[in-house]
Amino acid sequence: KNWKNEHGVGPITAFELPAEIDQELAAKGMEIYDGKCTACHKVEKKFIGPSPMGIFERRNPAWVMNMILNPEEMIQKDPLAKLLLVEYNMSPMANQNLTEDQARAIMEYFRTL
């Protein structure tokens, strides 16, 4: 199945990434990622959760935003999130209670990896 068209379950139903990377936004995203995400996610390898490197080659940006903003419901209702939960030893993603703006900044950082 091509999961790239799936937008997941949550507040984001569509999301287009602009052509140009916003380096200032990406820097903010890196700070948030380093502070909130690195306990489970490592850029260079699989860890407790998947590496974000190349994420947008595999996933729709709206799906990534919903996973960041709404992980509990995603794990309950989204078929891909359910598969990933099994693949990653039933370690559910923690909700970091980020705003949409913070999640958007993290997305921009992921584009620089």
Side-chain angles (χ1 to χ4, degrees), residues 15-30:
F15 192 87
E16 289 291 323
L17 291 167
E20 292 291 314
I21 293 176
D22 179 334
Q23 295 296 340
E24 199 176 314
L25 189 61
K28 281 183 198 155
M30 185 172 84

Side-chain angles (χ1 to χ4, degrees), residues 16-66:
E16 289 291 323
L17 291 167
E20 292 291 314
I21 293 176
D22 179 334
Q23 295 296 340
E24 199 176 314
L25 189 61
K28 281 183 198 155
M30 185 172 84
E31 277 178 40
I32 299 164
Y33 177 86
D34 285 348
K36 298 210 177 256
C37 311
T38 53
C40 297
H41 296 277
K42 304 293 182 209
V43 168
E44 66 282 356
K45 63 180 191 227
K46 279 179 144 184
F47 191 54
I48 294 163
S51 163
M53 195 177 284
I55 186 69
F56 301 120
E57 292 158 27
R58 306 188 302 272
R59 307 278 180 262
N60 184 308
W63 188 94
V64 178
M65 285 279 279
N66 281 325

